[in-house]
Amino acid sequence: MTDTSIRTRFAPSPTGMFHVGNARSLLLNWVVARQSGGTMVLRIEDTDAARSRPEWTEGILAAMAWLGVDSTQYEGPYSQTDAADKHTEAAQGLRKEGLAYYCDCTRDQVQARRDNPNLGYDGFCRDRVLDAGPGRALRFRIPEGGPTVVEDQIRGRVEFPHDALEDFVIARGDGTALFVLANVVDDVQMGITHVIRGEEHLSNTPKQQLLWEALGHIPPVWAHAPVLVNDKRQKLSKRRDKVAMESYQAEGYLPEAMVNYLMLLGWAPGEDREIMPIEEMIPLFHLVDVNSSPAFFDEKKLRAFNGDYIRALEVDEFVKRCAPYLGGEGVPWRIEDFDADVFAQIAPLAQSRVAVLSEIVPNVDFLFLDAPVFDEKSWAKAMKPGVGVEILTAAIASYSDEALSWDAESLKGALEQAGAAQGLKLGKAQAPVRVAVTGRTVGLPLFESLELLGRERTLTRLKAALNRLSS
Ligand code: GLU
């Protein structure tokens, strides 16, 4: 449905890494704006000066762009601190209208007056008509009556009785606004029609809805997306779980796989389809179809998903996407020893075997290193007495024979024969050769690997392994 007046907003705080929960909120806001021809606004909520840092803002913008939401896709970025005067003005306006009042109670005084500390502030200063001053907080007067009813697109009707809402603080004694107010003032000023965010903000929502009304505006459409949980049904936490978009990017998740997976948290496009490009999802998505129960962020499933996406790439594209992992810092080979042509030849074999792009490195390192790096466990397993020396010796003999054509098919046939002579099936006979050449027991198809490595380098490695075994 086209409705260009729809304005959503993504309002992250630049206080840490870009969390998967942020990414999910971002996508919901972006999809809702896109499907209606409306606009998504990006607002950086940087009013917490102690915790906000410019590099986190950079990280937000970079992670967004990685996910495909670059600066052409949103209005902004705006900085919340730039609107500080507006926040103060709104707070003073509410006070002038008698909708907010100053309070000088300390926490201890409030506690002393209440037998049940959970009840919160008791409204003691409501009619004391205090002036502004140091240590005095401006509180919003919860109106008589109630309940406040939040009509949430995802959770349905949520009622908040007014006796459970205290007169909450909207500004400090020095005039600066608190988050709960600043967030609303910005939304009002920016003409936001849909507030779509994580469930953790639901408890703010009745207060914010009352603020919208007190400021003389019709509240927006609300939607609170379910919390994300790990395999133990615990809320995802940065201390316990891998939540930073940056880590997923570094490991070699494809952004389109990540976007697809994030959209499936609490929602499905129907007809049992899961793999679907975002452009196809946009017209199918409806906030009201999102499930309100906690959504399992299943890293294993995401990984499998990513593997599917990798396999679906054109080989050339796969090669291109691997480039940062092959030429960057930290590769185990000398940069000048990397050979793009050789990689292009092995790429189709590797493509079907990696679930994340960074796994490409241990799969192809044997091609670009002078000698393989032996994994000692693999070595012990493959080079058992009665197998290692015998197979390596036989392989060296038949692979040295210039009459043997150096192609995967012939190499396989020759090793099959050598193995049979020792009473070994090909699977068993391959292991010592594979470890000698690549350093590991698992990897890409062996004979194609040998073909690419070439006769001379293969023989050098087989001989070196035999030496290592006999010494
Ligand atoms: N800055 C808030 C956060 O990052 C978002 C608040 C909102 O979306 O209303 O959690």
Side-chain angles (χ1 to χ4, degrees):
M1 199 190 58
T2 310
D3 180 356
T4 54
S5 66
I6 286 187
R7 287 172 67 81
T8 65
R9 86 307 193 262
F10 177 52
S13 303
T15 52
M17 296 283 223
F18 196 80
H19 188 287
V20 289
N22 287 139
R24 204 255 318 244
S25 293
L26 163 70
L27 291 174
L28 297 182
N29 280 286
W30 183 56
V31 165
V32 169
R34 283 280 314 274
Q35 67 185 181
S36 56
T39 303
M40 181 180 81
V41 175
L42 173 60
R43 181 171 75 233
I44 304 294
E45 300 210 312
D46 51 359
T47 39
D48 184 343
R51 293 173 58 222
S52 298
R53 280 199 250 134
E55 55 268 36
W56 296 129
T57 298
E58 293 305 315
I60 290 169
L61 300 180
M64 287 176 67
W66 180 67
L67 290 166
V69 187
D70 65 17
S71 59
T72 65
Q73 300 295 310
Y74 52 80
E75 182 187 306
Y78 298 108
S79 143
Q80 188 159 60
T81 45
D82 287 350
D85 291 350
K86 294 263 185 300
H87 307 151
T88 304
E89 214 175 280
Q92 289 312 315
L94 291 173
R95 189 198 171 209
K96 278 199 198 88
E97 291 177 52
L99 301 173
Y101 60 89
Y102 278 106
C103 161
D104 63 359
C105 299
T106 63
R107 199 183 300 254
D108 290 345
Q109 288 169 336
V110 176
Q111 289 233 337
R113 290 198 297 265
R114 303 227 102 162
D115 12 324
N116 179 355
N118 294 331
L119 287 177
Y121 182 67
D122 57 357
F124 184 77
C125 299
R126 276 190 156 203
D127 302 312
R128 289 178 64 211
V129 205
L130 295 176
D131 280 330
R136 293 185 176 176
L138 190 62
R139 289 185 181 272
F140 181 75
R141 190 188 296 268
I142 298 287
E144 299 300 321
T148 285
V149 177
V150 171
E151 295 287 354
D152 189 285
Q153 293 278 297
I154 296 174
R155 330 192 71 81
R157 186 186 158 90
V158 194
E159 285 193 15
F160 297 88
H162 282 197
D163 55 12
L165 294 176
E166 63 173 2
D167 286 354
F168 56 96
V169 177
I170 55 174
R172 302 176 187 88
D174 63 5
T176 57
L178 263 65
F179 164 77
V180 68
L181 175 66
N183 183 262
V184 169
V185 171
D186 288 347
D187 284 344
V188 167
Q189 301 266 332
M190 293 175 178
I192 299 304
T193 59
H194 289 59
V195 169
I196 305 165
R197 57 189 178 182
E199 186 181 335
E200 65 276 16
H201 289 291
L202 185 64
S203 58
N204 282 327
T205 307
K207 302 177 197 167
Q208 295 195 310
Q209 181 160 302
L210 289 168
L211 286 172
W212 273 80
E213 287 162 355
L215 293 168
H217 295 272
I218 297 169
V221 173
W222 304 105
H224 289 86
V227 48
L228 303 183
V229 295
N230 65 15
D231 52 352
K232 297 187 189 74
R233 310 298 291 172
Q234 300 160 315
K235 187 172 186 277
L236 287 192
S237 109
K238 64 179 172 196
R239 253 158 255 103
R240 190 170 47 213
D241 306 295
K242 187 164 74 195
V243 296
M245 241 347 82
E246 290 87 342
S247 321
Y248 287 97
Q249 181 179 3
E251 255 184 72
Y253 281 82
L254 305 188
E256 59 269 44
M258 180 58 93
V259 165
N260 188 159
Y261 182 70
L262 288 170
M263 286 300 293
L264 297 178
L265 297 169
W267 179 77
E271 290 170 18
D272 282 337
R273 285 192 64 188
E274 287 202 309
I275 301 254
M276 187 185 272
I278 187 75
E279 291 301 322
E280 281 177 42
M281 285 183 170
I282 287 174
L284 301 175
F285 180 82
H286 300 289
L287 277 175
V288 290
D289 294 337
V290 175
N291 192 318
S292 62
S293 29
F296 175 25
F297 183 81
D298 185 350
E299 222 185 292
K300 284 205 190 86
K301 179 161 177 181
L302 169 62
R303 208 181 130 78
F305 229 74
N306 200 60
D308 289 342
Y309 264 88
I310 287 180
R311 282 185 289 282
L313 294 174
E314 298 287 340
V315 179
D316 288 354
E317 182 62 21
F318 173 68
V319 169
K320 226 167 78 193
R321 305 263 191 134
C322 287
Y325 297 89
L326 299 168
E329 271 171 41
V331 288
W333 51 78
R334 289 183 297 268
I335 296 290
E336 63 272 22
D337 287 345
F338 178 74
D339 184 331
D341 292 333
V342 170
F343 179 70
Q345 291 178 62
I346 199 95
L349 294 178
Q351 186 174 359
S352 56
R353 284 173 176 75
V354 297
V356 293
L357 293 173
S358 59
E359 285 173 3
I360 193 68
V361 173
N363 271 288
V364 303
D365 61 356
F366 71 96
L367 286 166
F368 310 117
L369 288 166
D370 293 338
V373 179
F374 294 115
D375 166 54
E376 291 306 333
K377 266 209 196 109
S378 297
W379 177 273
K381 207 161 119 195
M383 304 296 186
K384 292 216 176 80
V387 179
V389 171
E390 291 73 2
I391 288 294
L392 292 177
T393 310
I396 291 167
S398 64
Y399 287 176
S400 306
D401 182 356
E402 292 287 340
L404 179 79
S405 152
W406 197 261
D407 60 77
E409 208 36 47
S410 314
L411 293 167
K412 179 178 170 197
L415 192 64
E416 213 156 18
Q417 270 188 7
Q422 315 283 336
L424 293 171
K425 291 225 168 67
L426 182 62
K428 283 255 172 338
Q430 275 193 55
V433 175
R434 183 188 286 284
V435 171
V437 169
T438 70
R440 306 183 186 86
T441 42
V442 286
L444 303 184
L446 178 62
F447 302 105
E448 281 84 352
S449 300
L450 300 183
E451 184 182 323
L452 262 178
L453 193 63
R455 193 190 300 263
E456 201 183 317
R457 291 173 79 196
T458 301
L459 284 172
T460 305
R461 290 183 190 192
L462 293 175
K463 288 173 190 164
L466 189 58
N467 265 339
R468 191 175 197 250
L469 252 187
S470 6
S471 63

